[in-house]
């Protein structure tokens, strides 16, 4: 599509893919969406991005990022049938992290029917220079139907500038202008009134107003809601660890999500079913956690043996369920109760292949740790080059009452007859006894 053009799109679930080509010196980019009425959001809740991944209506959801063969995508799921009637447009944006879009090659936005996979619209953005954010496209209502417009409007003020332009209150440090030089002295007047400080204009914070209640006294004034935080943390080989305390994650819950996809189509024997299968269809990964509590107790949280753990009693870790899709909106999830940080000595989060593949070689996976309070922490696994069926993902260690998250991304190869759980136990010195288990 050329810039400024528009096309009809089906009123259904659409997968919006922001994509670009990675490489040396290429910054990361992030997809976001804003739901607008008269060109502005109604509240900060109408902003969907990596720190606020789901709209309250369920109409827009941030599905996450993939990196396959140097082609990076960040995806939003937009279900136009669920968009509230008051919403007039859904703006689709991109922001650069650590550079400008002049350094990003082959930037595009593509709209696909989520069920059928057919392409409804595509816009390739070219000619970027110093821009750090773009409105790439938008869905808008026209005569009872939805259309997609290719926009291509750039911003040099990043995600913060783009968000505030649409009415979002952003919790980001502002640059302070240097103090102005003092004015030259004036001849003293006969009488001088005491100096009056100029009024200070404070930025307005959005206030959530509850619906009116008939025949009831007005409720007390509520405090302003917290501004939206744009902070995030990506762990790499060069910077593999981060303190949860420094990120604000000192209480509440910590949600650990594993999502994956198959790099290419392949087939072989399913390990449990004894028949030829398409491995990507039967692929089953299990997210697990070894734990050691401060009182010396040790154990494992996993689907095998229905050892799902518990959130409000030891081990204060709970496995949410068992997923086979790998989708970032679901995937494999476990939750850690950060209100009990002092009860932990260490936690090792790892993943095993239960069935459907002989190694991680053809899989791409991303790990996200989302504290209830604080910035999300994410990282991708390196490409697997060994016949590994178990991968240590992250090690959380209690250091003076603070959980430090260490990216492991370590593929392990079990010896013949040795289970993946026993293999990771031996590698990290947990010292537990293991027996066969089923789920």
């Amino acid at each position: 599509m050329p810039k400024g053009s528009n096309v009809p799109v089906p009123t259904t679930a659409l997968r919006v893919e922001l994509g670009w080509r990675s490489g040396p010196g290429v910054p990361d980019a992030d997809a976001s969406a804003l739901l607008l009425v008269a060109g502005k959001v109604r509240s900060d809740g109408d902003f969907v991005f990596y720190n606020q991944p789901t709209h309250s209506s369920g109409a827009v959801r941030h599905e996450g990022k993939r990196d396959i063969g140097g082609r990076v995508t960040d995806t939003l799921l937009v279900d136009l049938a669920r968009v509230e009637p008051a919403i007039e447009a859904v703006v689709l944006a991109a922001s650069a992290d650590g550079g400008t879009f002049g350094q990003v090659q082959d930037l595009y936005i593509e709209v696909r029917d989520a069920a059928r996979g057919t392409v409804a619209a595509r816009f390739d953005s070219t000619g970027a220079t110093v821009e750090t954010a773009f409105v790439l496209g938008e869905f808008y209502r026209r005569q009872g139907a939805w259309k997609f417009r290719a926009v291509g409007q750039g911003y040099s003020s990043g995600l913060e500038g783009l968000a505030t332009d649409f009415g979002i209150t952003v919790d980001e440090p502002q640059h302070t202008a240097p103090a102005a030089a003092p004015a030259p002295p004036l001849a003293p007047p006969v009488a001088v009134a005491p100096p009056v400080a100029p009024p200070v204009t404070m930025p307005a914070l959005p206030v959530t107003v509850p619906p009116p209640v008939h025949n009831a006294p007005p409720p007390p004034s509520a405090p302003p809601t917290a501004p939206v935080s744009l902070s995030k943390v990506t762990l790499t080989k060069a910077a593999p660890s981060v303190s949860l305390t420094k990120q604000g994650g000192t209480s509440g819950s910590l949600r650990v999500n594993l999502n994956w996809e198959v790099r290419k189509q392949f087939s072989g024997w399913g390990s449990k079913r004894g028949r030829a299968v398409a491995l990507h269809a039967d692929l089953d990964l299990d997210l697990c956690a070894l734990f050691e509590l401060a009182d010396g107790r040790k154990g494992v949280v996993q689907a095998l043996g229905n050892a799902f753990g518990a959130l409000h009693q030891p081990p204060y870790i709970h496995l949410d369920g068992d997923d086979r899709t790998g989708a970032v909106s679901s995937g494999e999830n476990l939750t850690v109760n950060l209100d009990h940080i002092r009860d932990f000595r260490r936690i090792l989060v790892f993943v095993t292949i239960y069935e459907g593949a002989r190694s991680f070689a053809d899989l791409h996976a991303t790990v996200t740790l989302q504290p209830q309070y604080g910035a999300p922490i994410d990282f991708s696994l390196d490409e697997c080059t060994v016949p590994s069926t178990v991968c240590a993902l992250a090690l959380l260690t209690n250091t003076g009452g603070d959980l430090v998250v260490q990216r492991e991304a370590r593929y392990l190869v079990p010896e013949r007859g040795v289970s993946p759980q026993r293999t990771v136990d031996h590698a990290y010195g947990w010292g537990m006894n293991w027996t066969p288990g089923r789920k």
Side-chain angles (χ1 to χ4, degrees):
M1 296 177 61
K3 181 176 178 178
S5 62
N6 62 78
V7 294
V9 292
T11 305
T12 183
L14 300 172
R15 182 157 280 112
V16 180
E17 180 180 280
L18 163 70
W20 68 96
R21 185 151 49 90
S22 64
V26 177
D28 194 18
D30 297 293
S32 59
L34 300 107
L35 289 78
L36 307 182
V37 177
K40 297 287 184 180
V41 297
R42 299 166 299 180
S43 71
D44 290 348
D46 286 339
F47 184 29
V48 177
F49 69 120
Y50 49 81
N51 271 4
Q52 195 165 266
T54 305
H55 190 260
S56 59
S57 67
V60 183
R61 186 175 69 230
H62 182 241
E63 289 202 315
K65 203 167 290 183
R66 313 281 193 188
D67 185 348
I68 303 177
R71 175 67 65 180
V72 186
T73 60
D74 199 7
T75 306
L76 298 161
L77 184 67
V78 181
D79 190 345
L80 294 177
R82 300 180 67 177
V83 175
E84 298 156 293
I87 298 298
E88 299 169 354
V90 179
V91 164
L92 308 165
S95 56
D97 185 7
T100 69
F101 278 107
Q103 302 166 277
V104 177
Q105 301 180 14
D106 300 340
L107 178 67
Y108 69 88
I109 184 171
E110 189 171 82
V111 179
R112 289 178 174 268
D113 186 300
R116 300 178 180 179
T118 54
V119 177
R122 179 184 171 108
F123 170 54
D124 292 274
S125 180
T126 59
T129 55
V130 299
E131 295 86 355
T132 50
F134 265 101
V135 172
L136 292 175
E138 66 172 347
F139 296 116
Y140 64 99
R141 298 182 192 266
R142 182 60 55 85
Q143 297 179 346
W146 284 96
K147 288 189 172 185
F148 173 81
R149 177 185 291 117
V151 179
Q153 177 185 350
Y155 291 73
S156 60
S157 49
L159 182 59
E160 179 182 354
L162 183 148
T164 54
D165 196 46
F166 287 101
I168 298 294
T169 306
V170 175
D171 182 18
E172 290 292 307
Q174 304 292 325
H175 297 289
T176 302
L186 300 176
V190 175
V192 179
V196 179
V200 178
T201 301
M202 298 298 291
L205 296 178
V207 177
T208 301
V209 181
V213 180
H214 297 292
N215 302 321
S221 298
T225 57
V228 171
S229 173
L230 304 183
S231 300
K232 66 174 181 175
V233 178
T234 299
L235 300 182
T236 63
K237 288 182 179 179
S241 64
V242 67
S243 160
L244 280 179
T245 296
K246 292 181 179 178
Q247 299 305 316
T250 57
S251 62
S253 61
L254 173 69
R255 181 179 175 87
V256 182
N257 172 268
L258 172 73
N259 70 86
W260 65 88
E261 68 177 19
V262 180
R263 295 180 187 273
K264 59 184 179 181
Q265 302 291 319
F266 60 106
S267 60
W269 286 90
S271 59
K272 296 290 181 183
R273 310 212 174 191
R275 59 182 175 82
V277 296
L279 295 187
H280 66 278
D282 267 349
L283 180 63
D284 186 7
L285 303 185
D286 284 345
L287 188 63
C288 314
L290 287 172
F291 63 84
E292 181 180 0
L293 301 182
D295 61 10
R297 284 180 289 177
K298 299 177 182 179
V300 64
V301 174
Q302 61 178 5
L304 282 177
N306 295 320
F308 287 95
L311 200 58
H312 300 292
Q313 62 186 38
Y316 308 110
I317 305 169
H318 182 255
L319 181 64
D320 294 359
D322 187 27
D323 180 81
R324 287 175 175 244
T325 67
V328 69
S329 56
S330 52
E332 291 275 320
N333 299 278
L334 63 82
T335 306
V336 179
N337 189 339
L338 295 182
D339 292 333
H340 290 270
I341 281 181
R342 295 188 180 277
D343 291 306
F344 295 113
R345 185 171 294 166
R346 57 178 178 157
I347 303 168
L348 179 68
V349 182
F350 65 99
V351 59
T352 66
I353 298 176
Y354 183 72
E355 69 175 349
R358 293 175 178 172
S359 81
F360 289 102
D362 292 297
L363 307 179
H364 170 73
T366 302
V367 181
T368 303
L369 296 88
Q370 176 67 71
Q372 185 174 346
Y373 308 105
I377 302 164
D378 61 28
F379 61 88
S380 294
L381 299 186
D382 300 320
E383 185 171 353
C384 180
T385 58
V386 294
S388 170
T389 56
V390 57
C391 180
L393 301 176
L395 180 64
L396 286 71
T397 307
N398 189 332
T399 305
D402 172 28
L403 280 183
V404 175
V405 180
Q406 172 81 25
R407 175 188 188 269
E408 295 293 308
R410 180 182 175 188
Y411 294 105
L412 302 171
V413 181
E415 297 180 2
R416 182 180 295 274
V418 178
S419 69
Q421 289 84 351
R422 191 187 299 267
T423 299
V424 74
D425 178 323
H426 178 74
Y428 286 85
W430 233 265
M432 293 171 55
N433 296 318
W434 295 90
T435 57
R438 296 181 62 86
K439 65 174 182 177

